[in-house]
Amino acid sequence: MTTTINGVTATNQVKLKPGDTIGILGGGQLGRMLAMAAARLGLRCQVFSPDPDSPAFDVVLNAACAEYADVEALELFANDVDVITYEFENVPAAAAMVLAARRPLLPNRKILETTQDRLAEKDFLKRLGIRTADYADVSSAASLRAAISRIGLPAVIKTRRFGYDGKGQAMIREGDNPDRIWADLGTKSAILEAFVPFEREISVIAARAASGEVECFDVTENEHRDHILKISRAPAAIPAALAAQACDVAAKIATALDYVGVLAVEMFVLVDRSGPKILINEIAPRVHNSGHWTLDGASISQFEQHIRAIAGWPLGKPVRHGPVTMTNLIGDEILEYEQWLTVPGATVHLYGKGPPRPGRKMGHVTQVETGKAKTG
């Protein structure tokens, strides 16, 4: 299947066979779980990461520990694999270009140009007619003040690139000093978003094959603490019609991007006199923390679904085993892992990271209430 994205022609036709090798950029827990899913399907993985302590290194036979700017290392890595994917969205553009010239890179590197830039992403959604919070481009303290005058307060300012788990952003309220906030943010390019008085946060994990087939997992409801995802529950406590709409929006986004693999679409649920509505918050072009419940709570995990998509294999039809709760173990909470091992019905996943640090995701636990299976 040959497609054109932003004027660039890309070939998404990949057909792996058992024994072939997938290259994974990034060695964190997402890369680790992707490699484990691939191994169950008889596929090998090789991980590329600059961090010698990458937890994904523990589960693969071959790994490349080098900087993303090391062109020779990237070329050697590409020569050893049949297709390349990534576990994080901030893949350097130059590295993606080097790799894509040698092996299929899925999802396509041009997608990163949209999803790595919050302004480009919001503009993309706007062109699709998909609702987001009101937003404005900000490049100086003066433009921040102008944006505040138009959008109003409270509002959230975010760097256009990078930043996750609450990093690279700040809330602005009445009485705050915009000049000081701009200086503290330490960037030359940002986006101001109107604060959304949401009822709940949800996400949709969607998989799209090169053929255009899309499968969505049940809509997940997410609870954050200190800007970090703490608990995910599936299914979300929202009307069925709204859940269907959320899945339709995720499928529309994946199709518009000509996406191959798994992506997550983070959304807000708002309630007004006319009923509940959804606004899109962000797109994550990768497997996602809010989809970890699928490892134990569904007939196929988001990780296996991603591997199938980039391998050119048929997608699975997700069947949820029952109501599922996923709890992240953050920082020192990992030291209590033995308590979770004694909880009936709980499945513990430890990521093999080093010493716990505040705010660092060290593992997660899934709990499934059986006997209430549902197709998602």
Side-chain angles (χ1 to χ4, degrees), residues 79-139:
N79 290 340
D80 286 342
V81 303
D82 299 293
V83 66
I84 300 169
T85 191
Y86 42 87
E87 63 133 32
F88 71 113
E89 57 264 56
N90 291 318
V91 176
M97 187 176 298
V98 169
L99 294 169
R102 288 159 178 79
R103 290 291 185 271
L105 177 65
L106 298 173
N108 189 281
R109 70 179 182 85
K110 299 301 292 182
I111 292 169
L112 296 174
E113 295 181 5
T114 298
T115 57
Q116 285 182 348
D117 185 324
R118 289 186 172 91
L119 180 63
E121 182 175 287
K122 286 288 194 296
D123 287 345
F124 163 74
L125 293 169
K126 186 177 181 179
R127 290 193 299 272
L128 288 180
I130 296 173
R131 295 184 64 203
T132 71
D134 196 11
Y135 65 95
D137 185 14
V138 176
S139 57

